[in-house]
Amino acid sequence: MTDVFEVRRWDGAGRLGSLDVPRAGVTVETPALMPVVNPHLRTVSPARMEELGAQVLITNGYILYGSEDYREQALEEGLHSLYDFSGAIVTDSGSFQLSVYGDEEVDIDTEEILQFQYDIGSDIGTPVDIPTPPDAARERAEAELASTQERLELASGLDLGEMLLNAPVQGSTDTDLREQAGADARATGADVFPVGAVVPLLNDYRYAEAVEVSLAAKRGLGPAAPVHLFGAGHPMMFALAAAAGCDLFDSAAYALYARDDRYLTVRSTEHLADLEYLPCSCPVCTEHGAEGLQALDDIERERRLAEHNLHVSFAEMRRVRQAIRAGDLLELVEARARSHPTVLDGYRALLDHADDLERSDDASKESFFHLSTESARRPEVLRHHDRLAALPVEGDEVLLSEGGTNDSYDETWRVVPPFGPFPRALSETYPLTAEVPERTDRAAQAAAARGVTALVEANPDVAFTLAHWEWPDEVLATLPEAVTVTALGPDEDVDAETEVE
């Protein structure tokens, strides 16, 4: 793999990165959104997209290859002149047409389409891979994956000059195939790695499975590879996909939805006719309002809606980058997860792999906000539990208390769900500075109990007492039998002699 991608900051598997695109002479800051440009249907011009914040766009090299209107112009002038766009331009290969129409509709091979992409000045080119759809038979997925790998290896041997090479990662919904495909794609020495054939999952709101296949591909690719999630165009899932380690997103949704009078928000998609008030302060919405947009003629309304959809999408991508910079990406994911049940499914699938997230997560951040039961499963909690065995315990009798200290014990540790126990001296250390609700939920208490268990098992010769605020019996039952348990209350002490502060 060429040295074109640098990670500057991590938050879980999410990262701020820089993708150098030498042919364009630009560096793309990631995570980044790539608007899709259809050369025959330019609802918003690429030049206007650049004004709105586009650093990179993606267009279909196969459509240009077969276009009577634009093929020769693209060859003579180059893509940047054709589109009046100074950022990076990515070209697709015809794989989408292959997936929809079959081999008989795609009459070009990998070598020819890559040469065409190079000749028209593409900055990142794509071979003709085989996009195996979700839920395909295992035998089909394996056979098509083998064909894709042959094409990637052929592509990697071509002289493409400064044009970077995409190596799509296929494998249907078989996560082991996705992982192996990632490793095989990385071995070709390609530059960017799209996770392919996920559009059907995204269109059906199967976000949990999209997360699973993305994480599987990343396990094979390793932490250094820039990852493009094909077809991830709705802003409600940008934060989730970024938290799963995806760096590039392409969107035709801004235009497709506008064509159908649909209005994007970070929470949903609305029909313009149903809106009396516009929940957005972008220039389109503030200038026109709902009635003004509805009154425009069809062509102008479609264009302005598409611009609004781009405003919302670029704003969310900036919000994602800032969240990674601040170390609170998962808080943003949690907020988005409350907007749609399938985004919540995706977040829960992501947290099933908290151990993977923890390996790249920044150990020092500004804040941890406990916002939901899912917060108890975050990688910061897992890391704290793993480190408990290394923390020194002083004395033979130790109080673990949700209340105050008690001089009857050799030492008193604090207990804060979901983290569980920690020495009081670490109270000002991230993530133990967490903001947690006073009304602790059962998931947080259960996580804290796992922390107590980890500490007790690491120190079998110490007598531990847990003083808690009304933990349910089913949580207390998970503690080791050696732990003495006492409930705190307004008129209760930890023992008969010394009051808990």
Side-chain angles (χ1 to χ4, degrees):
M1 182 172 59
T2 56
D3 187 20
V4 296
F5 185 64
E6 178 185 3
V7 176
R8 304 197 314 273
R9 189 176 183 91
W10 292 89
D11 189 0
R15 62 262 188 104
L16 287 178
S18 299
L19 177 66
D20 291 330
V21 187
R23 198 175 193 194
V26 301
T27 297
V28 175
E29 184 181 17
T30 64
L33 175 65
M34 304 185 291
V36 175
V37 176
N38 184 324
H40 299 111
L41 297 170
R42 302 186 205 180
T43 308
V44 178
S45 72
R48 177 60 176 151
M49 291 177 184
E50 193 164 3
E51 293 175 358
L52 296 179
Q55 309 170 73
V56 53
L57 58 79
I58 184 169
T59 192
N60 195 305
Y62 183 73
I63 290 177
L64 285 167
Y65 176 84
S67 172
E68 295 180 1
D69 296 325
Y70 294 111
R71 176 189 169 97
E72 294 307 317
Q73 186 179 355
L75 286 168
E76 291 174 8
E77 300 180 6
L79 278 179
H80 288 274
S81 177
L82 177 66
Y83 285 157
D84 189 21
F85 185 78
S86 65
I89 299 179
V90 182
T91 44
D92 201 0
S93 62
S95 297
F96 175 77
Q97 285 74 16
L98 176 65
S99 68
V100 174
Y101 303 114
D103 289 311
E104 67 276 5
E105 295 292 333
V106 179
D107 55 356
I108 192 168
D109 60 25
T110 285
E111 187 170 2
E112 187 177 3
I113 192 61
L114 280 173
Q115 184 62 50
F116 177 74
Q117 291 174 73
Y118 176 80
D119 290 342
I120 63 176
S122 174
D123 301 309
I124 306 176
T126 309
V128 183
D129 60 313
I130 304 179
T132 308
D135 311 314
R138 174 83 179 196
E139 295 77 8
R140 174 185 174 183
E142 290 176 332
E144 293 182 349
L145 191 54
S147 296
T148 289
Q149 183 61 22
E150 289 177 3
R151 298 175 188 189
L152 297 185
E153 292 173 1
L154 170 64
S156 67
L158 300 176
D159 182 4
L160 302 175
E162 288 190 320
M163 184 174 78
L164 301 183
L165 178 64
N166 275 326
V169 179
Q170 299 292 346
S172 188
T173 35
D174 294 291
T175 53
D176 61 323
L177 293 183
R178 289 280 186 173
E179 182 172 350
Q180 185 59 53
D184 292 341
R186 180 186 60 186
T188 66
D191 305 290
V192 181
F193 301 90
V195 179
V198 293
V199 171
L201 295 176
L202 300 174
N203 286 346
D204 291 340
Y205 292 88
R206 294 165 64 179
Y207 290 151
E209 290 166 275
V211 166
E212 292 284 359
V213 299
S214 298
L215 291 174
K218 285 183 62 66
R219 287 195 293 272
L221 289 168
V227 175
H228 168 195
L229 186 61
F230 258 130
H234 200 298
M236 75 161 62
M237 58 86 60
F238 290 168
L240 173 64
C246 298
D247 308 290
L248 298 168
F249 307 80
D250 67 272
S251 173
Y254 76 95
L256 295 175
Y257 288 3
R259 201 165 302 146
D260 194 31
D261 270 356
R262 288 189 287 172
Y263 177 100
L264 283 178
T265 77
V266 294
R267 294 175 54 88
S268 63
T269 307
E270 307 290 344
H271 285 281
L272 180 61
D274 296 334
L275 296 176
E276 185 174 353
Y277 307 99
L278 299 182
C280 175
S281 57
C282 79
V284 174
C285 295
T286 55
E287 178 182 349
H288 293 281
E291 289 186 4
L293 273 179
Q294 293 161 1
L296 295 174
D297 65 64
D298 290 350
I299 293 176
E300 182 65 8
R301 185 174 65 253
E302 179 182 339
R303 183 180 71 83
R304 299 299 276 169
L305 267 178
E307 285 196 3
H308 157 78
N309 292 342
L310 283 171
H311 274 295
V312 170
S313 299
F314 284 129
E316 180 68 359
M317 197 58 71
R318 291 191 297 270
R319 195 174 290 115
V320 168
R321 288 200 291 266
Q322 177 57 33
I324 298 172
R325 175 65 183 83
D328 55 16
L329 177 60
L330 291 185
E331 277 94 341
L332 179 59
V333 177
E334 290 209 30
R336 297 294 175 253
R338 265 56 207 171
S339 68
H340 200 286
T342 59
V343 182
L344 180 57
D345 284 338
Y347 183 39
R348 288 171 174 169
L350 180 70
L351 292 176
D352 287 341
H353 300 272
D355 52 344
D356 291 333
L357 306 186
E358 193 278 326
R359 280 192 282 272
S360 57
D361 190 44
D362 193 337
S364 180
K365 304 178 188 178
E366 294 181 5
S367 62
F368 179 108
F369 281 75
H370 182 103
L371 300 175
S372 70
T373 57
E374 282 72 39
S375 298
R377 301 174 59 206
R378 284 179 48 172
E380 296 93 333
V381 177
L382 179 66
R383 180 189 300 125
H384 175 67
H385 291 172
D386 289 343
R387 291 180 175 179
L388 280 168
L391 296 179
V393 177
E394 299 177 2
D396 298 325
E397 296 186 358
V398 174
L399 173 65
L400 311 176
S401 177
E402 285 193 287
T405 61
N406 188 303
D407 293 337
S408 298
Y409 295 84
D410 298 322
E411 187 178 14
T412 299
W413 284 33
R414 291 188 65 196
V415 175
V416 176
F419 298 98
F422 56 89
R424 303 184 76 84
L426 297 182
S427 296
E428 300 303 317
T429 303
Y430 181 88
L432 304 175
T433 52
E435 295 287 344
V436 299
E438 292 185 8
R439 299 185 179 186
T440 306
D441 59 77
R442 188 164 301 181
Q445 294 163 339
R450 291 193 293 273
V452 171
T453 298
L455 180 65
V456 171
E457 291 178 347
N459 298 273
D461 298 328
V462 177
F464 289 97
T465 297
L466 171 66
H468 64 89
W469 295 112
E470 299 181 346
W471 287 15
D473 291 341
E474 57 266 33
V475 171
L476 296 174
T478 67
L479 296 170
E481 292 183 2
V483 177
T484 300
V485 176
T486 185
L488 293 168
D491 300 318
E492 296 183 34
D493 301 336
V494 171
D495 60 30
E497 298 177 357
T498 307
E499 183 178 351
V500 176
E501 298 175 358

